[in-house]
Structures are given as structure tokens and as C-alpha cells.
Amino acid sequence: MAKQYDVLFRLLLIGDSGVGKTCLLCRFTDNEFHPSHISTIGVDFKMKTIEVDGIKVRIQIWDTAGQERYQTITKQYYRRAQGIFLVYDITSERSYQHIMKWASDVDEYAPDGVQKILIGNKADEEQKRQVGKNQGMKLAEEYGMDFFETSACTNYNIKESFTRLTELVLMAHKRELEGLRMSSADELNLAELEDDGSKSDGMANSSKSCWC
Amino acid sequence: MDQSFAIQDTLEKGDTCLVAVQGILVSPYTNESRLVGLVKNRETLAIFLYKHRRMAICADDVSLDEIIPLAEGVIIQQVMPAEGFYVIGTDVTLRIKSLDIDIVMQLPFGSHTQEFLRRVNQPIQEGLPAFPSQQFVWLRKYWQRNIPSVNSLFLNNMNYEEERQLSGLDINLVSDLEADKMAMNGQWIKANERVDPSRSPQMSVRHNKTTFTDLVRSADVLSANKAEMVPFTKFGLRDNLIKSELLKNEDTYISIQNYRFFVGTYNVNGQSPRESLQTWLSQDSEPPDLYCIGFQELDLSKEAFFFNDTPKEEEWFKAVSDGLHPEAKYAKIKLIRLVGIMLLLYVKKELAVHVSEVEAETVGTGIMGRMGNKGGVAIRFRFHNTHLCIVNSHLAAHVDEFERRNQDFREICSRMQFAQADPTLSPLTIHKHDVVLWLGDLNYRLKDIELEKVKKLIDSRDYKTLHKFDQLKQQIDGKAVFEGFTEGEIMFQPTYKYDPGTDEWDTSEKCRTPAWCDRVLWKGKHITQLEYRSHMALKTSDHKPVSSLFDIGVKVVNEELYKKTFEEIVRCLDKMENDCIPSAALSQREFHFKDVKYRQLQVQTFTIHNDGQVACQFEFIRKLDEESYSKPWLRANPSKGFLTPGSSMQIELEVFVNNQTAAALNAAEEKIEDILILHLDRGKDFFLSVTGNYLHSCFGSSIQMLCYMNGYMRDTSEETITQLAQMPLQMKDNFLGAEKPAKIPKELWMMVDHLYRNASQQEDLFQQPGLMSEFEAIRDCLDSGYPESLPGSNHSVVEALLLFLEALPEPVICYQSYQKCLESIGDYSSSKEVVSMLPLHHKNVFKYLISFLQEMLNNSEKNHLDIKILASIFGNLLLRPPPDLPKPSNSDKRRCQEFVQQFLQPEDP
């Protein structure tokens, strides 16, 4: 008989300052929305449990500072993620252009096999739109990513996008999950939480493996 | 290194050590090193634990301590640290549990461990062979040879297995029953089986043969088919929380739905079925949803009593199956029997998927209070979300033994215990069920009434009056038995005792008074009795069967509402968890340090306040690829700490530019700019940004730059400074156009000239320290040109001079000449030669300083200076070993002093 088990993932939100990363997180975890923008200076996380295909997944979602001056520092958090949201603001052409840079940072700093998803946020602000939906789709296709336009304000596509990325991560770790299903371990901990950033060197490759 | 060779060395031919890891066996008393090997023989694996005396190389280094066959029931799980997370790169802690072993091992992080885990995990995934079995006989030789005492338990088993083999029996056919027998003999107890040692061996055998052809489907299908069951999942503390919350909020997602239960009891007096049971079981027009059928005195033979084996079981099972309502199909859920007491549970085929968690148990209360001629059997199960327990009992006989019957009831209640799926939970008792249906030959009689009067009341159908003489009623009214249970009104004549084959009352010698021996009682909510009756048509026994028809309201889960409740609970838990993430607030996140000066401490403070619900530990952590959490000129004090909820702490950020950090800042290679990461343990990270402007200073600037600098440091633009800083050391004079460089830095000249003019006769010059405040004024004067003459005492100027020399990024004797200088000692002319090879401005400074010192020595009567003192001070300022060399030894320092001393000696006449 299959054992009951639990999976823990770490997902990361990145993108320019002000695209709404913190709002996406708040909407998803607390179903709250605060329209005023307070810059995230640092990295913060929240936990959320969702069920995907009958598997109870606990996800730890990391919200990062988008400001340019912190980017060299936020990069060091990439290697601990199994899934990454690349977020731009559909009312900001600039934030969309910067996705390229964010994506190349991900390639450089995130572990191999990290799952990515492109998010065009603020979809409710149609009158201020600078980036067409097809532009987003095109870019996503170029990078081989799934794409969602979302609105943290109207709660549009929030759950869907988080669930989708979780699914992608689950699929990418199917082998470990199957192993777990048969073994007697209680919990698959994909997001081994390092207690500080100082323990780094050379762990990037092993960071996504469970014990099996 | 690979230590599997040492293990392989100890193994017999045919056995292979796949992988070996050196780990630590964790016990509450000591932690001991063990060599862990995974050993393979054909298709089976075993974990061998060895004591070892060093890094094991050969068999002599190790001694076998424990063997754990990788067999069914072995559990290997990774133990998570208390926080629930583990840090990759740290040790892997494993808990290994088998039938008689429960150990915790720490294995080092690394490829051997990974390999070990992978190899162990694979067979676990594929399914482990049963133990004991023939496949593991190969282990016997090791047990016998190495650890004869420890595992005698296993050894016995292996013997047992081998004997079986020798006697030509097919080992593969060892059934559950065999396992049970082993349990009886005390040789082997299944890990998850609870055995009550007080029970008589015979009685503890659980007879659960499944050789019967089930009517529709086997009971095994049920437990596996849980798709429709509410998914109560196992998931540690969090899971238990969810579970208890779900239970608390059950009303929000369940509705009560009635299901019809047929409950029958029949004491068959040891007879075989001779007539159809339909008149008992299928009397009603509508087929019931569930059947709970109990028998007593199924078999009165000695064989049944002593060996619990009877052909009657199958006969009556078949008779019941044939007698079930013809308009529905039923699945047998469970059959349980203790000697002559048997209970059968059937459910409509289409309802079978809603039945789960089926457990059956028996309790004997007969001879010696233990035997199975009297007692009870019970089946507990979950139907939708309601937990039910059906008990069939045969209590003590004889009119006067009602106290004994009460005691039997209590015995059954206390000793009937059902194991739970989660072995950590205590076993369930009868009363812990939502619904209890109790049937059986309870054997209570009519008391204090003459036989004739009984018969007269029966004839007049005055059961109400007769019931007053019923012992069970009296005992219940006196709260002596069946407390909390209800019985319906009895509207049928006593079911005992008839002449078999007739409806005539007992005509035997004993001429028993009729009695309502056979009863059905219930306990629980939402139960309506529709019928309570006897079935006179059946004449096989000296009892008549009784049946009761119930409508029982069962808690049915509304999947949608359940999901909603479940999600709400999970959401609340997530919220709780998020609230328990350590949290803190900082009074300030950006810090600007204005006009940072050489050797002048600046401090800014901020407050960290724990605004979370849990204690938090904070620490400044280093950034990727950096050695320290901050730039060398910056320090946080304290850099780590602990805050209880609600408490605050002040943290000081200190900026201090010293000799080591001044050069890069002066050369504009480095700015007052840093981002600190303040990390909360198990929580978020704050980024603190530190900015500032640095006032360039001659302290920490190069001789060359100062020579070429037109004007004062603070008036010079950043670009000029950058340009000057990039100048090569040896260069032509025409750099920067027509501007002629100064021969020596004017700042040096200002200090030396000041001393020359004011301090040559100063007592204790170079021996007394200066004042910090005066030094700061001198520094500002040198860097800005204001005031015109140097402030402060002579001692402070000396202090500034020494600091100036100490802070030079390239000492007066350039690094590359350092070694040559040391080598030239004793040969003054070659020492002079080395000096003459210095870059122009360095040479100038050296000569200028030497002549200044000589001038000072000329006044030694007043200022008490001598060559030794000056050489010891200046030797180690003018000569410094290059930064890539180790710090100078005392003898090196002495040689530096000797070098300078040569130049201070009066010239030979």
C-alpha cells in the first residue's frame, strides 16, 4: 500500500521592483491585497499547503527584493529553488524587457532542472497596458516556459499559476516521488532549508535531490 | 576510502558486500562508530553492522555486531531534525527498525552514504521478502559464528524453517496461520501485532481464513479501495492537527443518512443447519443494507473447544449466505469465531466501498475465565464516517449465575481491544464507537416466578408482566450491566427452551423455565428499532433465533463540503505556521555615513524588535563569495543575537577606516558602500544598505601620489586621485604635463619640519603617546591645509608621523627591496646601494627622514634619544615585509632595525 507522504518545495518570485511579487504572494497565501507599494528589502517567505494530484505539497514561497542594487545578493538565493516565477508588469515595457536579464541570471545561478514560469502581473490595469498578451506568450514560448497573466488585485489566475508551477516541479521530481511512495520515509524535503546563506559552496547541484 | 573490502573479507563465498559506510550508532548513552555494510546473497539483502578498531582494511579490523535482514517489516526512514528541515551537506540520520531492532544511525554526507541509501531503497520499493523464509537461511552462519547469544530468537526461527524444508514441506506455503502459530510459541511476534499474553494460546488464534468463496467480492478489496474514503492521511503532528480539527468540524461536512441493519442471533445448540434460514433472514419485503448475524453453540464438540476447529463454521456460513435477502447482492466483510461463538458481517455489494478499517477480536470468558466456550467476538468497522462495533456474546449459563453474566459482560468490554491503523494510537475499545450493537445468547433468565405462571403469562401474551421477572431488565435497571445500552420492547415469547424440532417447551428432566436468553441491545445516536422479534419457524435448535431491524443514521461525508472544511483547516494551519515564522522589525534599513575620515570611528544605531510570536535568532551572514558579512571598514555590534517575542535590541554599525582599509579608499578603488544581510534563523533576510562618503587623506596614500598632488587631499577631485593612484611606481618626471612633482610629500615635510623646528629638544620625544583628538586635528590640517600650522603637542605630531609611515600602502623601502636590504646588513655601502635603487620619491623620503633623525640625535642630551631607540621605532616602519610574506619574526625585526641603524651611525671620520 502506498504510504502517505508530504512534499516540501521552495519556489522563488523574481522580477523588477514594483511588478507585484509581494502582492502575488500575499494574495496566494493570505488572500489579501494591499495596493500600496512597499519595496521588499531582503527576502521573505511564506508557507502554503496545496494538494496536487492527491499529493499534499507544502510550498515555501520566497519573495525577493527586485531593486537593482540588491540583485547581486538575491542571486545567491536562486540555487535553493526548485521553481521560479519570472514576473513582469504588463503596464511596464521596461519590466518586460528585463525578463531577459532575469532569465539569464536564472540560467547562471539556479540549479539545473529548475522549473520556470512567466507571469505578466497587473492584468486588471488594461488601460495602462504596455505589453500585449501575445508578447508575453511569445517570450514564454521562446524560453519554453508556461505563461500566465495574473492580477493579484482581482485574484485572477493566482491559484492557477502557483498550482501550475508546483505541478511542474512535482513532475520534474517524479522519480524521487515514486521512490518515496514506495519507501517508508514520511516526508520528501526538496527544499532543504539552509540555516543561513553562508553554507553554499558546491551544493547547487545536490540541492534538489532527496535522500534516495 | 572504500571500506567494503574489509567487510568482504569476513563474508562467505557467494555473499557480496555492495557498499560500506562508516557511521555512528546513536544511543542515549554513547555514540559508537560502526561500519555499516550492505550484504547481498542472490536476491536478498541484509545490513551488517560491524564494530571496528580503526579505518577498516581487513577482516581483523572488524567484528560483526548486528545483522538486519532487509525483509518485510523492516522500516528505514530518515530522521528529520526537530525543525523539520535538514541541511544538505550534513549527516544523514537514519532510523532502522525491524522485528527486534530499533536503532538510529548517523551516516556521513557523501557518495558512500548516497550509494548505500540508493541500494537499500531499491528493494524496499520493489517489495521485501517475508521473514523468516528460506531466502534468508544464508544469514544463519553469521549469526551462529558471530553473535550466537544476541539473535537466538532469529536462530530458532531459522531452525524452524530448515526443519520444514528437510521434512519436504513447501516453505512458500507458510501461511498466516503458521505465523500465528509462531506467535503462540513465543518465537516470533509480528512487529505490528499486539499479543495479549494473558490469553490462552488457543484462544488467541485469530481465525481469519479467507478460503470461503465470497459472494461478491473479498473483504480484501475493501480496505484497499479507499478512493472514496475520506483521506485521513498520516503526516506527523501537522496531520494529527488536521485530523482532530476535521473531527471537531465534522458537522459541517457530514449528513445523517439512514441505513437498514438486520441484526440476528441464534443459539444453534451444536446442530448443523437443516432448514433454510430465509424465514429468519429474509422475512422483510425490503432487503437490509447490512447483516450482522451471530451464532452461539455452533459446535459443542471437544475438538472445537480444544482446537478451535470445526466444520460447522463453513456449514453455517453457507446457510446464512444462502438465506440472505434474494433481492440484493451482499459481500461478506468479515467472519470471526471463537469456538462456538461466531459473528458474520455482510454488506450490500454496492455499499462495500464505504466500509473500511475492519478489525475483529475475540475474548474468552469460559472455563478458568479464559476459555472460549463462553465469551464474545466482535467486529468493528467504519461505515462512511461512522464507527460501528458489533458484539456477539455468549454469557455464563444457569439461572442463579446472573452476577457471573454481568462479570462476563464487563470482561468482554475491558478485554476487547482493536488495533488501530496508526500503531502509535492506543487500541480502541467497544465503547469508543459511535454505534454499538450487542447481540447474543446473554443467558439471563426469568427469576422468582413459577413455571406455571410463566407459561400462563406467555399464553395470554402478557409479555409486559413477564418482562418484570427478566433478570436482564432487573440488572439493567439496577445499573449492574449494559449501562448506556437500550433494548426494545419484547413482544415475542421467550426463545428458550424448546424441544428440538418443535415449538414445545422443554419436556426434559430438567424442565427448564422458559427465558429470553437471546437478545439484541444497542448504544449510540440516530438508531431506530423497526422490528424486534423471534422466528418460531426454525426448529433445529432448542433456541429460537431472534432478529432486530434497525434504521441507523450514519454520518455520510459530503465530499464538496468536506473538501471545503479540509481546505479551511489547512489554510488556518498555514496561517498559524506563517505566524510562527520568526519575524522582526528594524527601525532603520538605510545608513549613510557622512564624511568618513581616516581613523575616526563613526557609529549609527538601529533597533531590532521581535514583532513575531516566537523567539528569533538573528545574525549578519556573509554574501556569496565574500569572506565576511561586511566590508573590512564596517562592523555590526553585536553581529548576532537572540530576541524573545516583544523584546528589542540595539545594534551599532561602526565604520572605522584603519591602515589596512585606508589605501583602497584613498585611491578611490573602494567606496563606503555595502549591503549587509541580516538573517533571521528559520525566517526572512533583511538587506541593510550602508553608504557614505570618504574624505580622502594623506594617511594611507602613496608617497608618489602625494608628491604629484597639487594642493591638499580634500581639495583634489576624485578623477585626479584615480589617475594618480594608477601611476606606475618608476616613472618619468614629465607626468601630468609641466607640473613638477614635489621632492617629498608636503604633508611629510609639514610634520618633520614642525618637529625639527619645535621638538628637537623635547624630552621623551618618540616615547610618549599623542592624543587622539590632537591627531584628528593634525590629520584635518594635513588634508585640508587649514590651519596654517600644525596644531597639537609635539608628541601628537610624532604620533601622526609614525601613523603616516605605517599607513603608507608602499613602505618607504619598497616591498621589492625589502629582501635585498636585509641581505645587505653589515655592508653599509651595499645598503646604500640598495637605497639608491629606490624610486625617486621613496629615496628622497628615506634620506630626508634619516637626516631628520640624525638631527634629533644631535640633541640627544636634551631629548634623551639614542640610535637604538630611533632604529627600533623606524626600522619597522621604513621596512615592512611584502604582504604575501609571513609576518616578520623577531630576528627579522631586529635586522630591519640594524639596517636603519647603519644610516644613523655617525659617518666614519
Side-chain angles (χ1 to χ4, degrees), chain B residues 156-168:
Chain B
N156 288 339
N157 259 330
M158 303 315 286
N159 285 331
Y160 173 81
E161 289 297 332
E162 208 160 74
E163 280 158 22
R164 305 264 323 191
Q165 189 195 22
L166 290 174
S167 63

PDB file of all heavy atoms in Angstrom, chain B residues 156-168:
ATOM      1  N   ASN B 156      16.334 -19.597  16.216  1.00  0.00           N
ATOM      2  CA  ASN B 156      15.277 -20.586  16.373  1.00  0.00           C
ATOM      3  C   ASN B 156      14.396 -20.633  15.147  1.00  0.00           C
ATOM      4  O   ASN B 156      14.007 -21.688  14.674  1.00  0.00           O
ATOM      5  CB  ASN B 156      14.412 -20.238  17.589  1.00  0.00           C
ATOM      6  CG  ASN B 156      15.174 -20.493  18.869  1.00  0.00           C
ATOM      7  OD1 ASN B 156      16.136 -21.254  18.849  1.00  0.00           O
ATOM      8  ND2 ASN B 156      14.766 -19.863  19.944  1.00  0.00           N
ATOM      9  N   ASN B 157      14.128 -19.465  14.697  1.00  0.00           N
ATOM     10  CA  ASN B 157      13.286 -19.395  13.519  1.00  0.00           C
ATOM     11  C   ASN B 157      13.912 -20.041  12.315  1.00  0.00           C
ATOM     12  O   ASN B 157      13.272 -20.720  11.541  1.00  0.00           O
ATOM     13  CB  ASN B 157      13.014 -17.927  13.190  1.00  0.00           C
ATOM     14  CG  ASN B 157      11.648 -17.564  13.678  1.00  0.00           C
ATOM     15  OD1 ASN B 157      10.788 -18.446  13.705  1.00  0.00           O
ATOM     16  ND2 ASN B 157      11.456 -16.345  14.069  1.00  0.00           N
ATOM     17  N   MET B 158      15.185 -19.790  12.181  1.00  0.00           N
ATOM     18  CA  MET B 158      15.856 -20.353  11.032  1.00  0.00           C
ATOM     19  C   MET B 158      15.832 -21.876  11.142  1.00  0.00           C
ATOM     20  O   MET B 158      15.635 -22.569  10.170  1.00  0.00           O
ATOM     21  CB  MET B 158      17.294 -19.847  10.935  1.00  0.00           C
ATOM     22  CG  MET B 158      17.425 -18.338  10.874  1.00  0.00           C
ATOM     23  SD  MET B 158      16.283 -17.539   9.754  1.00  0.00           S
ATOM     24  CE  MET B 158      17.027 -17.970   8.197  1.00  0.00           C
ATOM     25  N   ASN B 159      16.020 -22.379  12.382  1.00  0.00           N
ATOM     26  CA  ASN B 159      15.943 -23.823  12.557  1.00  0.00           C
ATOM     27  C   ASN B 159      14.589 -24.341  12.125  1.00  0.00           C
ATOM     28  O   ASN B 159      14.466 -25.314  11.420  1.00  0.00           O
ATOM     29  CB  ASN B 159      16.168 -24.183  14.037  1.00  0.00           C
ATOM     30  CG  ASN B 159      17.633 -24.052  14.408  1.00  0.00           C
ATOM     31  OD1 ASN B 159      18.488 -24.240  13.531  1.00  0.00           O
ATOM     32  ND2 ASN B 159      17.905 -23.721  15.639  1.00  0.00           N
ATOM     33  N   TYR B 160      13.643 -23.626  12.598  1.00  0.00           N
ATOM     34  CA  TYR B 160      12.268 -23.998  12.305  1.00  0.00           C
ATOM     35  C   TYR B 160      12.076 -24.087  10.797  1.00  0.00           C
ATOM     36  O   TYR B 160      11.568 -25.050  10.269  1.00  0.00           O
ATOM     37  CB  TYR B 160      11.363 -22.928  12.903  1.00  0.00           C
ATOM     38  CG  TYR B 160       9.917 -23.070  12.548  1.00  0.00           C
ATOM     39  CD1 TYR B 160       9.116 -23.966  13.245  1.00  0.00           C
ATOM     40  CD2 TYR B 160       9.358 -22.304  11.529  1.00  0.00           C
ATOM     41  CE1 TYR B 160       7.789 -24.091  12.931  1.00  0.00           C
ATOM     42  CE2 TYR B 160       8.036 -22.432  11.214  1.00  0.00           C
ATOM     43  CZ  TYR B 160       7.241 -23.325  11.907  1.00  0.00           C
ATOM     44  OH  TYR B 160       5.929 -23.442  11.587  1.00  0.00           O
ATOM     45  N   GLU B 161      12.560 -23.055  10.131  1.00  0.00           N
ATOM     46  CA  GLU B 161      12.400 -23.038   8.685  1.00  0.00           C
ATOM     47  C   GLU B 161      13.118 -24.208   8.040  1.00  0.00           C
ATOM     48  O   GLU B 161      12.636 -24.832   7.125  1.00  0.00           O
ATOM     49  CB  GLU B 161      12.951 -21.730   8.111  1.00  0.00           C
ATOM     50  CG  GLU B 161      12.108 -20.519   8.444  1.00  0.00           C
ATOM     51  CD  GLU B 161      10.723 -20.624   7.854  1.00  0.00           C
ATOM     52  OE1 GLU B 161      10.578 -21.289   6.828  1.00  0.00           O
ATOM     53  OE2 GLU B 161       9.792 -20.040   8.437  1.00  0.00           O
ATOM     54  N   GLU B 162      14.314 -24.473   8.588  1.00  0.00           N
ATOM     55  CA  GLU B 162      15.108 -25.503   7.940  1.00  0.00           C
ATOM     56  C   GLU B 162      14.474 -26.879   8.119  1.00  0.00           C
ATOM     57  O   GLU B 162      14.445 -27.691   7.216  1.00  0.00           O
ATOM     58  CB  GLU B 162      16.528 -25.490   8.483  1.00  0.00           C
ATOM     59  CG  GLU B 162      17.514 -25.999   7.459  1.00  0.00           C
ATOM     60  CD  GLU B 162      18.899 -25.535   7.797  1.00  0.00           C
ATOM     61  OE1 GLU B 162      19.459 -26.095   8.751  1.00  0.00           O
ATOM     62  OE2 GLU B 162      19.414 -24.640   7.123  1.00  0.00           O
ATOM     63  N   GLU B 163      13.940 -27.077   9.314  1.00  0.00           N
ATOM     64  CA  GLU B 163      13.280 -28.359   9.552  1.00  0.00           C
ATOM     65  C   GLU B 163      12.127 -28.566   8.578  1.00  0.00           C
ATOM     66  O   GLU B 163      11.912 -29.638   8.053  1.00  0.00           O
ATOM     67  CB  GLU B 163      12.761 -28.429  10.986  1.00  0.00           C
ATOM     68  CG  GLU B 163      13.841 -28.770  11.992  1.00  0.00           C
ATOM     69  CD  GLU B 163      13.470 -28.321  13.379  1.00  0.00           C
ATOM     70  OE1 GLU B 163      12.250 -28.142  13.630  1.00  0.00           O
ATOM     71  OE2 GLU B 163      14.382 -28.133  14.187  1.00  0.00           O
ATOM     72  N   ARG B 164      11.437 -27.479   8.381  1.00  0.00           N
ATOM     73  CA  ARG B 164      10.319 -27.562   7.452  1.00  0.00           C
ATOM     74  C   ARG B 164      10.825 -28.007   6.081  1.00  0.00           C
ATOM     75  O   ARG B 164      10.236 -28.820   5.426  1.00  0.00           O
ATOM     76  CB  ARG B 164       9.636 -26.195   7.289  1.00  0.00           C
ATOM     77  CG  ARG B 164       9.178 -25.582   8.571  1.00  0.00           C
ATOM     78  CD  ARG B 164       7.755 -25.853   8.864  1.00  0.00           C
ATOM     79  NE  ARG B 164       6.949 -25.842   7.661  1.00  0.00           N
ATOM     80  CZ  ARG B 164       5.631 -25.852   7.686  1.00  0.00           C
ATOM     81  NH1 ARG B 164       5.015 -25.817   8.845  1.00  0.00           N
ATOM     82  NH2 ARG B 164       4.953 -25.887   6.584  1.00  0.00           N
ATOM     83  N   GLN B 165      11.951 -27.423   5.764  1.00  0.00           N
ATOM     84  CA  GLN B 165      12.481 -27.734   4.453  1.00  0.00           C
ATOM     85  C   GLN B 165      12.884 -29.198   4.386  1.00  0.00           C
ATOM     86  O   GLN B 165      12.578 -29.894   3.427  1.00  0.00           O
ATOM     87  CB  GLN B 165      13.695 -26.843   4.183  1.00  0.00           C
ATOM     88  CG  GLN B 165      14.169 -26.943   2.761  1.00  0.00           C
ATOM     89  CD  GLN B 165      15.547 -26.358   2.626  1.00  0.00           C
ATOM     90  OE1 GLN B 165      16.285 -26.260   3.610  1.00  0.00           O
ATOM     91  NE2 GLN B 165      15.903 -25.983   1.423  1.00  0.00           N
ATOM     92  N   LEU B 166      13.542 -29.652   5.454  1.00  0.00           N
ATOM     93  CA  LEU B 166      14.001 -31.032   5.458  1.00  0.00           C
ATOM     94  C   LEU B 166      12.830 -32.001   5.376  1.00  0.00           C
ATOM     95  O   LEU B 166      12.910 -33.036   4.750  1.00  0.00           O
ATOM     96  CB  LEU B 166      14.832 -31.303   6.724  1.00  0.00           C
ATOM     97  CG  LEU B 166      16.190 -30.598   6.727  1.00  0.00           C
ATOM     98  CD1 LEU B 166      16.876 -30.796   8.058  1.00  0.00           C
ATOM     99  CD2 LEU B 166      17.042 -31.093   5.570  1.00  0.00           C
ATOM    100  N   SER B 167      11.783 -31.644   6.018  1.00  0.00           N
ATOM    101  CA  SER B 167      10.653 -32.551   6.006  1.00  0.00           C
ATOM    102  C   SER B 167       9.893 -32.477   4.685  1.00  0.00           C
ATOM    103  O   SER B 167       8.841 -33.073   4.538  1.00  0.00           O
ATOM    104  CB  SER B 167       9.718 -32.242   7.169  1.00  0.00           C
ATOM    105  OG  SER B 167       9.211 -30.938   7.010  1.00  0.00           O
ATOM    106  N   GLY B 168      10.445 -31.722   3.766  1.00  0.00           N
ATOM    107  CA  GLY B 168       9.892 -31.754   2.417  1.00  0.00           C
ATOM    108  C   GLY B 168       8.675 -30.872   2.221  1.00  0.00           C
ATOM    109  O   GLY B 168       8.021 -30.960   1.200  1.00  0.00           O
TER     110      GLY B 168
END
